[in-house]
Amino acid sequence: MATASFEAHIRHRTRVAIIDLQGEINNFAADALDSAYTEAVSGHPETILLNFSQVNYMNSVGIALIVGMLKRALKARCPLMVYGLSEHFVEIFRITRLADFMLIFSDEAQALNSIPPSRS
């Protein structure tokens, strides 16, 4: 049986780490998501952006993985924001109440423009 394909790539910007997600977020994505989050916070960003524009599937395990990432980000006091969600995923984020804890934007430019001035 073939495993689902998932990749996560990190881009660092001033004060921001962007995690580009691609493929299916399910149990096979756990290690890649964990590694991506660890790499993203290694640069001590003030905000982490999750780019969902290339995500084509997410099951309940995938939602749990995102909840776990959110939990880690909240503990680190590093806001987690999301962009590129399909309408279906926006609805999932609302139903699961993830949208109560993360700002959702349509694209990267909108997300970057919403980041408040530096905390320092």
Side-chain angles (χ1 to χ4, degrees):
M1 174 182 223
T3 60
S5 174
F6 176 79
E7 294 181 17
H9 303 280
I10 293 75
R11 295 181 283 137
H12 292 277
R13 303 267 174 112
T14 304
R15 303 176 33 232
V16 179
I18 302 167
I19 304 176
D20 295 311
L21 308 172
Q22 182 178 12
E24 299 184 7
I25 302 178
N26 55 32
N27 56 317
F28 297 111
D31 291 340
L33 272 176
D34 184 57
S35 295
Y37 179 84
T38 300
E39 183 181 337
V41 297
S42 71
H44 306 289
E46 292 180 18
T47 303
I48 296 174
L49 300 181
L50 298 179
N51 174 5
F52 270 79
S53 62
Q54 298 297 312
V55 173
N56 52 27
Y57 177 80
M58 181 170 57
N59 64 13
S60 58
V61 173
I63 293 167
L65 293 172
I66 299 301
V67 168
M69 187 182 289
L70 173 62
K71 189 175 176 182
R72 291 171 69 185
L74 289 171
K75 185 175 180 179
R77 298 180 192 250
C78 184
L80 198 59
M81 300 184 339
V82 180
Y83 70 92
L85 291 171
S86 67
E87 287 183 34
H88 175 71
F89 287 146
V90 168
E91 188 62 23
I92 288 171
F93 272 56
R94 287 185 179 136
I95 290 169
T96 60
R97 301 201 56 209
L98 281 168
D100 292 352
F101 299 96
M102 318 180 186
L103 295 175
I104 298 173
F105 300 95
S106 59
D107 59 39
E108 185 173 313
Q110 185 186 46
L112 291 172
N113 287 332
S114 75
I115 297 173
S118 180
R119 296 183 286 201
S120 38

